[in-house]
Amino acid sequence: MKLWKKMLIGLTFGTLIGILLGPKAAYLKPFGTVFLGLLNMLVVLLVFSSMTVGVTSINDIRKLGRVGFKTLLLYMVTTMIAIVFALIAAKLVNPGLGIGLNHGAVDLTIGETPELISMFMNLVPSNPIGSLANGNILQVIVFSIFLGLGINFAGEKGKPVARVLESLSEVMFSMTGMVMNLAPYGIFAIMAWVAGTFGVGILFPLLKLVLAHYVVCTIHLILVYGGILLFVAKVRITPFFKGMTDAITLAASTTSSSASLPATLHCVEENLGVSKNIASFILPLGSTINMNGTAIFQGIAAVFISQAYGIDLGWQSLLVIVVTATLSAVGCAGIPGGGIVTLSIVLGSVGLPLEGIAIVAGIDRLRDIIGTVVNVLGDGVVAVFVAKSEGEFDEEQYNSGVYISYDHKPAVPQESQS
Ligand code: ASP
């Protein structure tokens, strides 16, 4: 059975058992806590390796200039806009309001929201090994970017380090798969505890959360992607979506940007008329660091969890979320459920309880379907814009309506779904 189905079953059964057991369901909570511990165990090395590998994919140093700048700028700006949309929607819909998880029945340790300015000052690690050891993710991300650049500038001599990190990132992907296989049980335990302590009232808000996510993703597709194509790249919108059909289908079915990459490359090069040069530089990088759909979910989920626990997020915390969700989307691996692992970065940055992850994990696959489609399409939009601005775009092909179907099977990287 597919993992996402097992996760939904875990959610349903956990809720039922929780209702049956009542407050006694709290005995199941330690199993959920162990699952959360396992997720946390992955974060540092996963972000470190996948981030560095993302940067080393800019392997031609000459490309690092103009094209790299435009690409990174667009990736970052669209991700930030996505989170702002998500926060506005979450504040309007209030998906977690009234759940009342912070009921006094649970002992929660809520951290302090760091000052934004000191957060910026602390971004650069004085001791990267210390940052890794202490799990300071933001510092790890900054170090990974520098390390990736250093590897590239070192040329041939840097290649062995790149290969070690590539291999580490593959290993971390497969460890994520192993841990995700335990997700149904972790979700079961946490949901039993939640429903036992707080009743079924939790299910309706979760539905609201998923709906809000779908609405924001659709708005982002239309306004931001449509806007960039139409007004910045100055091309028609329909050929883009038609040409990307195969990539969209794969993204929705595998919920993995990495698994969809071969199809995305095919669609962008063959159907949309982007030169191989540009596509092979922008798309692999995008599949690792450009995740607008993931960012949208993290923004909405953070507000949901804060409301569920009755924690008021002031504007400063919301700003911290915009920054950390951008970075956490960058550090997120393009694999099924990657965003649920890095959600801890966002929650941790504003002192929200990590238990919230297990609650939203039950609907993870549902949100990941559209989220991954948004992630993959975002890479395509940036590729079209950059190609056009660099004179590496075949507009005739783009508008031709002749699309070659991609019928290869994707190389699914350690799909955690068994
Ligand atoms: N599944 C997403 C992707 O591969 C990442 C995530 O949001 O979990 O793009």
Side-chain angles (χ1 to χ4, degrees), residues 251 254-260 286-287 290-291 293-295 297-298 329 332-342 364 367-369 371-376:
T254 62
T255 65
S256 165
S257 300
S258 305
S260 313
S287 74
N290 183 40
M291 307 223 173
T294 304
F297 171 68
Q298 299 199 331
C332 170
I335 56 174
I340 205 80
V341 176
T342 52
D364 191 57
R367 71 88 201 165
D368 213 0
I369 294 172
T372 309
V373 170
V374 171
N375 290 347
V376 165

Side-chain angles (χ1 to χ4, degrees), residues 73-91 212-225 228 289-301 303 318 321-323 325-326 329 370-371 374-375 378:
L73 188 71
L74 262 185
Y75 280 169
M76 292 306 122
V77 170
T78 51
T79 307
M80 284 199 173
I81 295 174
I83 303 162
V84 172
F85 279 167
L87 292 178
I88 294 173
K91 283 288 186 188
H213 175 65
Y214 271 76
V215 170
V216 178
C217 281
T218 313
I219 292 176
H220 191 73
L221 280 178
I222 297 171
L223 289 188
V224 177
Y225 293 174
I228 293 176
I289 71 165
N290 183 40
M291 307 223 173
N292 294 4
T294 304
I296 289 172
F297 171 68
Q298 299 199 331
I300 298 183
V303 174
L318 292 178
I321 291 180
V322 173
V323 177
T326 304
I370 192 162
V374 171
N375 290 347

Side-chain angles (χ1 to χ4, degrees), residues 34-118:
V34 169
F35 168 63
L36 289 176
L38 287 170
L39 278 180
N40 269 327
M41 174 184 87
L42 301 172
V43 176
V44 174
L45 290 182
L46 188 67
V47 169
F48 172 59
S49 54
S50 104
M51 187 68 211
T52 312
V53 170
V55 178
T56 54
S57 72
I58 317 172
N59 46 17
D60 181 345
I61 290 170
R62 278 168 304 161
K63 283 185 188 166
L64 271 171
R66 242 186 12 242
V67 171
F69 177 73
K70 272 190 251 181
T71 306
L72 290 178
L73 188 71
L74 262 185
Y75 280 169
M76 292 306 122
V77 170
T78 51
T79 307
M80 284 199 173
I81 295 174
I83 303 162
V84 172
F85 279 167
L87 292 178
I88 294 173
K91 283 288 186 188
L92 287 176
V93 179
N94 291 321
L97 215 59
I99 300 178
L101 283 187
N102 192 12
H103 219 231
V106 217
D107 181 22
L108 295 174
T109 29
I110 295 156
E112 296 270 298
T113 302
E115 288 270 325
L116 201 58
I117 190 77
S118 62

Side-chain angles (χ1 to χ4, degrees), residues 189-383:
I190 294 270
M191 284 315 288
W193 160 68
V194 169
T197 319
F198 307 104
V200 263
I202 188 91
L203 288 183
F204 178 64
L206 278 177
L207 196 68
K208 242 168 130 183
L209 169 76
V210 175
L211 280 180
H213 175 65
Y214 271 76
V215 170
V216 178
C217 281
T218 313
I219 292 176
H220 191 73
L221 280 178
I222 297 171
L223 289 188
V224 177
Y225 293 174
I228 293 176
L229 289 171
L230 210 55
F231 301 114
V232 186
K234 298 196 171 35
V235 292
R236 285 165 52 225
I237 294 178
T238 13
F240 176 81
F241 286 98
K242 280 195 185 149
M244 288 293 278
T245 309
D246 286 343
I248 295 174
T249 317
L250 264 183
S253 54
T254 62
T255 65
S256 165
S257 300
S258 305
S260 313
L261 185 59
T264 314
L265 279 165
H266 166 89
C267 292
V268 169
E269 287 170 16
E270 305 294 331
N271 299 342
L272 302 185
V274 170
S275 78
K276 210 175 173 55
N277 250 345
I278 295 285
S280 61
F281 161 63
I282 288 182
L283 298 176
L285 183 67
S287 74
T288 329
I289 71 165
N290 183 40
M291 307 223 173
N292 294 4
T294 304
I296 289 172
F297 171 68
Q298 299 199 331
I300 298 183
V303 174
F304 173 87
I305 291 165
S306 78
Q307 291 174 341
Y309 283 92
I311 300 163
D312 195 30
L313 293 177
W315 68 268
Q316 201 165 24
S317 298
L318 292 178
L319 269 182
V320 173
I321 291 180
V322 173
V323 177
T324 51
T326 304
L327 293 174
S328 113
V330 167
C332 170
I335 56 174
I340 205 80
V341 176
T342 52
L343 180 58
S344 65
I345 301 174
V346 182
L347 299 185
S349 72
V350 287
L352 290 171
L354 296 187
E355 278 103 340
I357 297 179
I359 298 168
V360 295
I363 47 88
D364 191 57
R365 181 65 176 216
L366 288 180
R367 71 88 201 165
D368 213 0
I369 294 172
I370 192 162
T372 309
V373 170
V374 171
N375 290 347
V376 165
L377 288 177
D379 303 339
V381 168
V382 174

